[in-house]
Amino acid sequence: MFLWGTATAAYQIEGAVAEDGRGASIWDTFTHEPGRTRDGHTGDVACDHYHRWREDVLLMSGLGVNAYRFSIAWSRVLPEGSGAVNPKGLDFYERLVDGLLEAGVTPVPTLFHWDLPQALEDRGGWLDRDVSGLFAEYAAVVAERLADRVPTWITLNEPFIHMAWGYGLGLHAPGRALLLDALPVAHHQLLGHGLAAQALRAAGAREVLITNNCTPVWPASDSGEDLAAAAAYDTLHNRLFNDPVLLGAYPDLSAYGIRPDGAAGEGPELSAALGIRDGDLAVISAPLDGLGVNYYNPTRIAAPADDVLPFTDAGVTGYPTTAFGWPVVPDGLRELLTGLRERYGQALPPVYVTENGCSQDDELTPEGVDDQGRIAFLRDHVAALERAREEGVDVRGYFVWSLLDNFEWAEGYHQRFGLVHVDFATGERTPKASYGWYRDHIAAALRP
């Protein structure tokens, strides 16, 4: 059955950051540092999903989704990232899973959606290879409790974004600005994925996925310089995280000038700089049951403006934009999906679009929220997905980001992606017009 779902992430909706034994995550630390988030917003309360999850399950039931992608907060289960398990944390996720199943909604948990326990960041975070093994131990703890009821698991969410924005540019937690010196974070996350996949399968998990943020890369012109820059960006953003998982090999980063500062050469020298050891790629490339793909927009790339990075983001022009300023290019989803099939062929497992959605300046009126722009966005992207399926891509699910307006990372509460409006002062939920559109679309799609 095709999965029609919606998605959230723990730090963005749960709140209750200091309740029932939860430990601190890097986002707790980051958001309380002055200047890190817009207007100093934090996820301390967010949507208060920790206390209002039953209400949110009812919203999903009314929506008619048959799957819900959410994330588990590592530090709610293991407050120090390893060692002693917090039973109350596991109890919360067990209640949520059981509530979803009772409502006829398949739970699809993601084990890591950027909220690394602060205790592990204090020892180096994803720059520390040992965190990969600790991630697998955490996966085993969660799966031991839930794998008998949860069929499909996602290990990591968007490791490129976490590496680039969290460790490379410092725009997200943990706020490090290492540029290409952040590259070992890529390998250690992917190694963690592979080790966690082993742990999940050992505990009885039936399906294991990874979710990558992917983007079609468009050169700014046909010049050799822009084409080379686009190839470099495509390698860093897309291939660095898909090739090892699907093909068992990293792309040739050195061919595009992508290497940590001071790392010379290629082959063994570059592998050593990235932290790659014998046997790692066999772990990373163990067969997957599906590839999660998050799509928001294409990326237009030009030749580098300096010698810091081998490309420049030239911005996509000529399209409408969301409230976030992101270009709205529905056919980019078809381009992305067919491009994955062309690149990976038989190595590409079934694909799930695990995030797709848009931010709008929604206005709550006595009549509700009439978000016609979001309806058009979803309608056109679902149509693009269907075109990709008609062209032979094995797509098996579509998850709207997001069920609820939520804490949108460094933007705080200024970007609303939800099908349901949230009053962050009171927590009151109000389904938007897009909720009704998606409900009707799902009902029609699932009708015998």
Side-chain angles (χ1 to χ4, degrees), residues 2-8 65-70 105-109 152 154 209 211 292-296 351-357 377-378 382 385 395-403 419 438 442:
F2 192 89
L3 297 183
W4 292 103
T6 186
T8 65
V65 293
N66 57 14
Y68 172 51
R69 179 180 174 232
F70 62 97
V105 179
T106 299
V108 183
T152 302
I154 298 173
L209 289 68
T211 281
V293 173
N294 293 353
Y295 170 76
Y296 288 96
V351 175
Y352 296 79
V353 177
T354 40
E355 285 183 29
N356 179 239
F377 181 100
L378 296 176
V382 168
L385 179 150
V395 185
R396 299 190 184 179
Y398 177 80
F399 293 75
V400 172
W401 185 270
S402 176
L403 175 66
L419 298 169
Y438 194 40
I442 292 171

CSV table of all heavy atoms in Angstrom, one decimal, residues 2-8 65-70 105-109 152 154 209 211 292-296 351-357 377-378 382 385 395-403 419 438 442:
chain,number,residue,atom,x,y,z
A,2,PHE,N,0.5,2.2,-0.8
A,2,PHE,CA,1.2,3.5,-0.8
A,2,PHE,C,1.0,4.2,0.5
A,2,PHE,O,-0.1,4.3,1.0
A,2,PHE,CB,0.7,4.3,-2.0
A,2,PHE,CG,1.5,5.6,-2.3
A,2,PHE,CD1,2.6,5.5,-3.2
A,2,PHE,CD2,1.3,6.8,-1.7
A,2,PHE,CE1,3.3,6.6,-3.5
A,2,PHE,CE2,2.0,7.9,-2.0
A,2,PHE,CZ,3.1,7.8,-2.9
A,3,LEU,N,2.1,4.8,1.0
A,3,LEU,CA,2.0,5.5,2.3
A,3,LEU,C,1.7,7.0,2.1
A,3,LEU,O,2.5,7.7,1.4
A,3,LEU,CB,3.2,5.3,3.1
A,3,LEU,CG,3.6,3.9,3.5
A,3,LEU,CD1,4.9,4.0,4.4
A,3,LEU,CD2,2.5,3.2,4.3
A,4,TRP,N,0.5,7.4,2.5
A,4,TRP,CA,0.2,8.8,2.5
A,4,TRP,C,0.3,9.3,4.0
A,4,TRP,O,-0.4,8.9,4.8
A,4,TRP,CB,-1.2,9.1,2.0
A,4,TRP,CG,-1.4,8.8,0.6
A,4,TRP,CD1,-2.0,7.7,0.0
A,4,TRP,CD2,-1.0,9.6,-0.5
A,4,TRP,NE1,-2.0,7.8,-1.3
A,4,TRP,CE2,-1.4,9.0,-1.7
A,4,TRP,CE3,-0.4,10.9,-0.6
A,4,TRP,CZ2,-1.1,9.5,-3.0
A,4,TRP,CZ3,-0.1,11.4,-1.9
A,4,TRP,CH2,-0.5,10.7,-3.0
A,5,GLY,N,1.3,10.2,4.2
A,5,GLY,CA,1.6,10.5,5.6
A,5,GLY,C,1.9,12.0,5.8
A,5,GLY,O,1.8,12.8,4.9
A,6,THR,N,2.3,12.3,7.0
A,6,THR,CA,2.8,13.6,7.4
A,6,THR,C,3.9,13.4,8.3
A,6,THR,O,4.2,12.3,8.8
A,6,THR,CB,1.7,14.4,8.0
A,6,THR,OG1,2.1,15.8,8.2
A,6,THR,CG2,1.2,13.9,9.3
A,7,ALA,N,4.7,14.4,8.6
A,7,ALA,CA,6.0,14.3,9.3
A,7,ALA,C,6.2,15.4,10.3
A,7,ALA,O,5.7,16.5,10.1
A,7,ALA,CB,7.1,14.2,8.3
A,8,THR,N,6.9,15.1,11.4
A,8,THR,CA,7.4,16.0,12.4
A,8,THR,C,8.7,15.6,12.9
A,8,THR,O,9.3,14.6,12.5
A,8,THR,CB,6.4,16.1,13.6
A,8,THR,OG1,6.4,14.8,14.2
A,8,THR,CG2,5.0,16.4,13.2
A,65,VAL,N,-4.4,10.0,7.2
A,65,VAL,CA,-3.1,9.4,6.8
A,65,VAL,C,-3.0,8.0,7.3
A,65,VAL,O,-3.6,7.6,8.3
A,65,VAL,CB,-2.0,10.3,7.4
A,65,VAL,CG1,-1.9,11.7,6.8
A,65,VAL,CG2,-2.1,10.4,8.9
A,66,ASN,N,-2.2,7.2,6.5
A,66,ASN,CA,-2.0,5.8,7.0
A,66,ASN,C,-0.6,5.6,7.5
A,66,ASN,O,-0.2,4.5,7.8
A,66,ASN,CB,-2.3,4.8,5.8
A,66,ASN,CG,-1.5,5.0,4.6
A,66,ASN,OD1,-0.5,5.8,4.6
A,66,ASN,ND2,-1.9,4.4,3.5
A,67,ALA,N,0.2,6.7,7.6
A,67,ALA,CA,1.5,6.7,8.1
A,67,ALA,C,1.9,8.0,8.8
A,67,ALA,O,1.4,9.1,8.3
A,67,ALA,CB,2.6,6.3,7.1
A,68,TYR,N,2.7,8.0,9.8
A,68,TYR,CA,3.2,9.2,10.5
A,68,TYR,C,4.7,9.0,10.7
A,68,TYR,O,5.1,8.1,11.4
A,68,TYR,CB,2.5,9.4,11.8
A,68,TYR,CG,3.0,10.5,12.7
A,68,TYR,CD1,3.2,11.8,12.2
A,68,TYR,CD2,3.2,10.2,14.0
A,68,TYR,CE1,3.7,12.8,13.0
A,68,TYR,CE2,3.7,11.2,14.9
A,68,TYR,CZ,3.9,12.5,14.4
A,68,TYR,OH,4.4,13.5,15.2
A,69,ARG,N,5.4,9.9,10.2
A,69,ARG,CA,6.9,10.0,10.4
A,69,ARG,C,7.2,11.0,11.5
A,69,ARG,O,6.8,12.2,11.4
A,69,ARG,CB,7.6,10.4,9.1
A,69,ARG,CG,9.1,10.5,9.3
A,69,ARG,CD,9.9,10.9,8.0
A,69,ARG,NE,11.3,11.1,8.4
A,69,ARG,CZ,12.0,12.2,8.1
A,69,ARG,NH1,11.4,13.2,7.4
A,69,ARG,NH2,13.2,12.2,8.4
A,70,PHE,N,7.8,10.5,12.5
A,70,PHE,CA,8.2,11.3,13.7
A,70,PHE,C,9.6,11.0,14.1
A,70,PHE,O,10.1,10.0,13.6
A,70,PHE,CB,7.2,11.1,14.9
A,70,PHE,CG,7.2,9.7,15.4
A,70,PHE,CD1,8.0,9.4,16.5
A,70,PHE,CD2,6.5,8.7,14.8
A,70,PHE,CE1,8.0,8.1,17.0
A,70,PHE,CE2,6.5,7.4,15.3
A,70,PHE,CZ,7.2,7.1,16.4
A,105,VAL,N,-2.8,4.2,12.1
A,105,VAL,CA,-1.7,5.0,11.5
A,105,VAL,C,-0.4,4.2,11.7
A,105,VAL,O,-0.1,3.9,12.9
A,105,VAL,CB,-1.6,6.4,12.1
A,105,VAL,CG1,-0.5,7.2,11.4
A,105,VAL,CG2,-2.9,7.1,11.9
A,106,THR,N,0.3,3.9,10.7
A,106,THR,CA,1.6,3.2,10.8
A,106,THR,C,2.7,4.2,11.3
A,106,THR,O,2.9,5.2,10.7
A,106,THR,CB,2.0,2.6,9.5
A,106,THR,OG1,1.1,1.7,9.0
A,106,THR,CG2,3.4,1.9,9.6
A,107,PRO,N,3.3,3.9,12.4
A,107,PRO,CA,4.4,4.7,12.9
A,107,PRO,C,5.7,4.5,12.1
A,107,PRO,O,6.1,3.3,11.9
A,107,PRO,CB,4.6,4.3,14.4
A,107,PRO,CG,4.0,2.9,14.5
A,107,PRO,CD,3.0,2.8,13.4
A,108,VAL,N,6.3,5.6,11.7
A,108,VAL,CA,7.6,5.5,11.0
A,108,VAL,C,8.6,6.4,11.7
A,108,VAL,O,8.7,7.6,11.4
A,108,VAL,CB,7.4,6.0,9.5
A,108,VAL,CG1,8.7,5.8,8.7
A,108,VAL,CG2,6.3,5.2,8.8
A,109,PRO,N,9.3,5.8,12.7
A,109,PRO,CA,10.2,6.7,13.5
A,109,PRO,C,11.5,6.9,12.9
A,109,PRO,O,12.0,6.0,12.2
A,109,PRO,CB,10.3,5.9,14.8
A,109,PRO,CG,10.1,4.5,14.4
A,109,PRO,CD,9.1,4.5,13.3
A,152,THR,N,8.7,-0.1,10.0
A,152,THR,CA,9.6,0.7,9.1
A,152,THR,C,10.3,1.7,10.0
A,152,THR,O,9.7,2.5,10.7
A,152,THR,CB,8.8,1.4,8.0
A,152,THR,OG1,8.1,0.4,7.2
A,152,THR,CG2,9.8,2.2,7.1
A,154,ILE,N,13.6,4.7,10.1
A,154,ILE,CA,14.6,5.6,9.4
A,154,ILE,C,15.7,5.9,10.4
A,154,ILE,O,15.5,6.3,11.6
A,154,ILE,CB,13.9,6.9,9.0
A,154,ILE,CG1,12.8,6.6,8.0
A,154,ILE,CG2,14.9,7.8,8.4
A,154,ILE,CD1,11.9,7.8,7.6
A,209,LEU,N,15.4,2.4,6.5
A,209,LEU,CA,15.7,3.4,5.5
A,209,LEU,C,16.7,4.4,6.1
A,209,LEU,O,16.9,4.5,7.3
A,209,LEU,CB,14.4,4.1,5.1
A,209,LEU,CG,13.3,3.5,4.2
A,209,LEU,CD1,12.6,2.4,5.0
A,209,LEU,CD2,12.3,4.5,3.8
A,211,THR,N,17.1,8.8,5.4
A,211,THR,CA,16.5,9.9,4.7
A,211,THR,C,17.5,10.9,4.3
A,211,THR,O,18.2,11.5,5.2
A,211,THR,CB,15.3,10.5,5.5
A,211,THR,OG1,14.2,9.7,5.4
A,211,THR,CG2,15.0,11.9,5.0
A,292,GLY,N,14.7,7.2,1.8
A,292,GLY,CA,13.9,8.4,2.0
A,292,GLY,C,14.5,9.6,1.3
A,292,GLY,O,15.7,9.8,1.4
A,293,VAL,N,13.7,10.4,0.7
A,293,VAL,CA,14.1,11.6,0.0
A,293,VAL,C,13.3,12.8,0.4
A,293,VAL,O,12.1,12.8,0.3
A,293,VAL,CB,14.0,11.4,-1.6
A,293,VAL,CG1,14.3,12.7,-2.3
A,293,VAL,CG2,14.9,10.3,-2.1
A,294,ASN,N,14.0,13.8,0.9
A,294,ASN,CA,13.3,15.1,1.3
A,294,ASN,C,13.6,16.1,0.1
A,294,ASN,O,14.7,16.3,-0.2
A,294,ASN,CB,13.8,15.7,2.6
A,294,ASN,CG,13.4,14.8,3.8
A,294,ASN,OD1,12.7,13.9,3.7
A,294,ASN,ND2,14.0,15.2,4.9
A,295,TYR,N,12.5,16.6,-0.4
A,295,TYR,CA,12.7,17.6,-1.5
A,295,TYR,C,11.9,18.9,-1.2
A,295,TYR,O,10.8,18.9,-0.8
A,295,TYR,CB,12.1,17.0,-2.8
A,295,TYR,CG,12.0,18.1,-3.9
A,295,TYR,CD1,13.2,18.5,-4.6
A,295,TYR,CD2,10.8,18.7,-4.2
A,295,TYR,CE1,13.1,19.5,-5.5
A,295,TYR,CE2,10.7,19.7,-5.2
A,295,TYR,CZ,11.9,20.1,-5.8
A,295,TYR,OH,11.8,21.1,-6.8
A,296,TYR,N,12.6,20.0,-1.4
A,296,TYR,CA,12.0,21.3,-1.3
A,296,TYR,C,12.2,22.2,-2.5
A,296,TYR,O,11.3,22.9,-2.9
A,296,TYR,CB,12.6,22.0,0.0
A,296,TYR,CG,12.1,21.4,1.3
A,296,TYR,CD1,12.8,20.5,2.0
A,296,TYR,CD2,10.8,21.7,1.7
A,296,TYR,CE1,12.3,19.9,3.1
A,296,TYR,CE2,10.3,21.1,2.9
A,296,TYR,CZ,11.0,20.2,3.6
A,296,TYR,OH,10.5,19.6,4.7
A,351,VAL,N,11.6,4.2,-3.3
A,351,VAL,CA,11.8,5.6,-2.8
A,351,VAL,C,10.6,6.1,-2.0
A,351,VAL,O,9.4,5.8,-2.5
A,351,VAL,CB,12.1,6.6,-3.9
A,351,VAL,CG1,12.2,8.0,-3.4
A,351,VAL,CG2,13.5,6.1,-4.6
A,352,TYR,N,10.8,6.8,-0.9
A,352,TYR,CA,9.7,7.4,-0.2
A,352,TYR,C,10.1,8.9,-0.1
A,352,TYR,O,11.2,9.3,0.3
A,352,TYR,CB,9.6,6.8,1.2
A,352,TYR,CG,9.2,5.4,1.3
A,352,TYR,CD1,10.2,4.4,1.0
A,352,TYR,CD2,7.9,5.0,1.5
A,352,TYR,CE1,9.8,3.0,1.1
A,352,TYR,CE2,7.6,3.6,1.6
A,352,TYR,CZ,8.5,2.7,1.4
A,352,TYR,OH,8.2,1.3,1.4
A,353,VAL,N,9.1,9.7,-0.5
A,353,VAL,CA,9.3,11.2,-0.3
A,353,VAL,C,8.9,11.5,1.1
A,353,VAL,O,7.7,11.5,1.5
A,353,VAL,CB,8.5,12.0,-1.3
A,353,VAL,CG1,8.6,13.5,-1.0
A,353,VAL,CG2,8.8,11.7,-2.7
A,354,THR,N,9.9,11.6,2.0
A,354,THR,CA,9.7,11.6,3.4
A,354,THR,C,9.5,13.1,3.9
A,354,THR,O,9.1,13.2,5.1
A,354,THR,CB,10.9,11.0,4.2
A,354,THR,OG1,12.1,11.3,3.5
A,354,THR,CG2,10.7,9.5,4.1
A,355,GLU,N,9.7,14.1,3.1
A,355,GLU,CA,9.4,15.4,3.4
A,355,GLU,C,9.1,16.2,2.1
A,355,GLU,O,9.9,16.1,1.2
A,355,GLU,CB,10.4,16.2,4.2
A,355,GLU,CG,10.6,15.8,5.7
A,355,GLU,CD,11.6,16.7,6.4
A,355,GLU,OE1,11.8,17.8,6.0
A,355,GLU,OE2,12.2,16.2,7.4
A,356,ASN,N,8.0,17.0,2.1
A,356,ASN,CA,7.8,18.0,1.1
A,356,ASN,C,6.7,18.9,1.6
A,356,ASN,O,5.7,18.4,2.1
A,356,ASN,CB,7.3,17.3,-0.2
A,356,ASN,CG,7.0,18.2,-1.3
A,356,ASN,OD1,5.9,18.2,-1.8
A,356,ASN,ND2,7.9,19.0,-1.7
A,357,GLY,N,6.9,20.2,1.5
A,357,GLY,CA,6.0,21.1,2.0
A,357,GLY,C,6.5,22.5,1.9
A,357,GLY,O,7.6,22.8,1.3
A,377,PHE,N,0.7,24.2,-3.8
A,377,PHE,CA,2.1,23.6,-3.7
A,377,PHE,C,1.9,22.1,-3.6
A,377,PHE,O,2.6,21.4,-4.3
A,377,PHE,CB,2.8,24.2,-2.5
A,377,PHE,CG,4.1,23.7,-2.2
A,377,PHE,CD1,5.3,24.4,-2.6
A,377,PHE,CD2,4.3,22.4,-1.6
A,377,PHE,CE1,6.6,23.9,-2.4
A,377,PHE,CE2,5.6,21.9,-1.4
A,377,PHE,CZ,6.7,22.7,-1.8
A,378,LEU,N,1.1,21.6,-2.7
A,378,LEU,CA,1.0,20.2,-2.5
A,378,LEU,C,0.4,19.5,-3.7
A,378,LEU,O,0.8,18.5,-4.2
A,378,LEU,CB,0.1,19.9,-1.3
A,378,LEU,CG,0.6,20.4,0.1
A,378,LEU,CD1,-0.4,20.2,1.2
A,378,LEU,CD2,2.0,19.7,0.4
A,382,VAL,N,2.4,16.7,-5.7
A,382,VAL,CA,1.9,15.3,-5.8
A,382,VAL,C,1.8,14.9,-7.3
A,382,VAL,O,2.1,13.8,-7.7
A,382,VAL,CB,0.5,15.2,-5.1
A,382,VAL,CG1,-0.2,13.9,-5.4
A,382,VAL,CG2,0.8,15.3,-3.6
A,385,LEU,N,5.1,14.0,-8.5
A,385,LEU,CA,5.5,12.6,-8.0
A,385,LEU,C,4.8,11.6,-8.9
A,385,LEU,O,5.4,10.6,-9.2
A,385,LEU,CB,5.0,12.5,-6.6
A,385,LEU,CG,5.2,11.2,-5.8
A,385,LEU,CD1,5.5,11.4,-4.4
A,385,LEU,CD2,4.1,10.2,-6.0
A,395,VAL,N,8.1,4.8,-6.4
A,395,VAL,CA,7.9,5.6,-5.3
A,395,VAL,C,6.7,5.0,-4.5
A,395,VAL,O,5.7,4.7,-5.0
A,395,VAL,CB,7.5,7.1,-5.7
A,395,VAL,CG1,7.4,8.0,-4.5
A,395,VAL,CG2,8.6,7.6,-6.7
A,396,ARG,N,6.9,4.9,-3.2
A,396,ARG,CA,6.0,4.1,-2.4
A,396,ARG,C,5.4,5.0,-1.2
A,396,ARG,O,4.6,4.4,-0.4
A,396,ARG,CB,6.6,2.9,-1.8
A,396,ARG,CG,7.0,1.9,-2.9
A,396,ARG,CD,7.4,0.6,-2.4
A,396,ARG,NE,7.9,-0.3,-3.4
A,396,ARG,CZ,8.4,-1.5,-3.2
A,396,ARG,NH1,8.3,-2.1,-2.0
A,396,ARG,NH2,8.8,-2.3,-4.3
A,397,GLY,N,5.7,6.2,-1.1
A,397,GLY,CA,5.2,7.0,-0.1
A,397,GLY,C,5.4,8.5,-0.2
A,397,GLY,O,6.4,8.9,-0.9
A,398,TYR,N,4.5,9.3,0.4
A,398,TYR,CA,4.6,10.8,0.3
A,398,TYR,C,4.2,11.3,1.7
A,398,TYR,O,3.1,11.1,2.2
A,398,TYR,CB,3.7,11.3,-0.8
A,398,TYR,CG,3.7,12.8,-0.9
A,398,TYR,CD1,4.7,13.5,-1.5
A,398,TYR,CD2,2.7,13.6,-0.3
A,398,TYR,CE1,4.7,14.9,-1.6
A,398,TYR,CE2,2.6,15.0,-0.4
A,398,TYR,CZ,3.7,15.6,-1.1
A,398,TYR,OH,3.6,17.0,-1.2
A,399,PHE,N,5.1,12.1,2.3
A,399,PHE,CA,4.9,12.6,3.6
A,399,PHE,C,4.9,14.1,3.6
A,399,PHE,O,6.0,14.7,3.2
A,399,PHE,CB,5.9,12.1,4.7
A,399,PHE,CG,5.8,10.6,5.0
A,399,PHE,CD1,6.3,9.7,4.0
A,399,PHE,CD2,5.3,10.2,6.2
A,399,PHE,CE1,6.2,8.3,4.3
A,399,PHE,CE2,5.2,8.8,6.4
A,399,PHE,CZ,5.7,7.9,5.5
A,400,VAL,N,3.9,14.8,3.9
A,400,VAL,CA,3.8,16.3,3.9
A,400,VAL,C,4.6,16.8,5.2
A,400,VAL,O,4.3,16.3,6.3
A,400,VAL,CB,2.4,16.8,4.0
A,400,VAL,CG1,2.4,18.3,4.2
A,400,VAL,CG2,1.7,16.4,2.6
A,401,TRP,N,5.5,17.7,5.0
A,401,TRP,CA,6.0,18.5,6.1
A,401,TRP,C,5.2,19.8,6.2
A,401,TRP,O,5.3,20.6,5.2
A,401,TRP,CB,7.5,18.8,5.8
A,401,TRP,CG,8.1,19.5,7.0
A,401,TRP,CD1,8.1,20.8,7.3
A,401,TRP,CD2,8.6,18.8,8.2
A,401,TRP,NE1,8.7,21.1,8.5
A,401,TRP,CE2,9.0,19.8,9.1
A,401,TRP,CE3,8.8,17.5,8.5
A,401,TRP,CZ2,9.6,19.6,10.3
A,401,TRP,CZ3,9.4,17.2,9.8
A,401,TRP,CH2,9.8,18.2,10.6
A,402,SER,N,4.5,19.9,7.2
A,402,SER,CA,4.5,19.1,8.5
A,402,SER,C,3.0,19.0,9.0
A,402,SER,O,2.2,19.8,8.5
A,402,SER,CB,5.4,19.8,9.5
A,402,SER,OG,5.3,19.2,10.7
A,403,LEU,N,2.8,18.1,9.9
A,403,LEU,CA,1.5,18.1,10.5
A,403,LEU,C,1.1,19.4,11.2
A,403,LEU,O,0.0,19.9,11.0
A,403,LEU,CB,1.4,16.9,11.5
A,403,LEU,CG,0.1,16.8,12.3
A,403,LEU,CD1,-1.0,16.5,11.4
A,403,LEU,CD2,0.3,15.9,13.5
A,419,LEU,N,0.0,21.7,8.3
A,419,LEU,CA,-1.4,21.5,7.8
A,419,LEU,C,-2.3,22.0,8.9
A,419,LEU,O,-3.5,22.3,8.6
A,419,LEU,CB,-1.7,20.1,7.5
A,419,LEU,CG,-0.8,19.4,6.4
A,419,LEU,CD1,-1.0,17.9,6.4
A,419,LEU,CD2,-1.2,20.0,5.0
A,438,TYR,N,-5.7,17.8,1.7
A,438,TYR,CA,-5.0,16.6,1.8
A,438,TYR,C,-5.8,15.4,2.3
A,438,TYR,O,-5.7,14.3,1.7
A,438,TYR,CB,-3.8,16.8,2.7
A,438,TYR,CG,-2.7,15.7,2.7
A,438,TYR,CD1,-2.3,15.2,1.5
A,438,TYR,CD2,-2.1,15.3,3.8
A,438,TYR,CE1,-1.3,14.2,1.4
A,438,TYR,CE2,-1.1,14.3,3.8
A,438,TYR,CZ,-0.7,13.8,2.6
A,438,TYR,OH,0.3,12.8,2.5
A,442,ILE,N,-6.2,12.1,0.0
A,442,ILE,CA,-5.9,10.8,0.5
A,442,ILE,C,-7.1,9.8,0.4
A,442,ILE,O,-7.0,8.7,0.0
A,442,ILE,CB,-5.5,10.8,2.0
A,442,ILE,CG1,-4.1,11.6,2.1
A,442,ILE,CG2,-5.3,9.5,2.6
A,442,ILE,CD1,-3.7,11.9,3.5
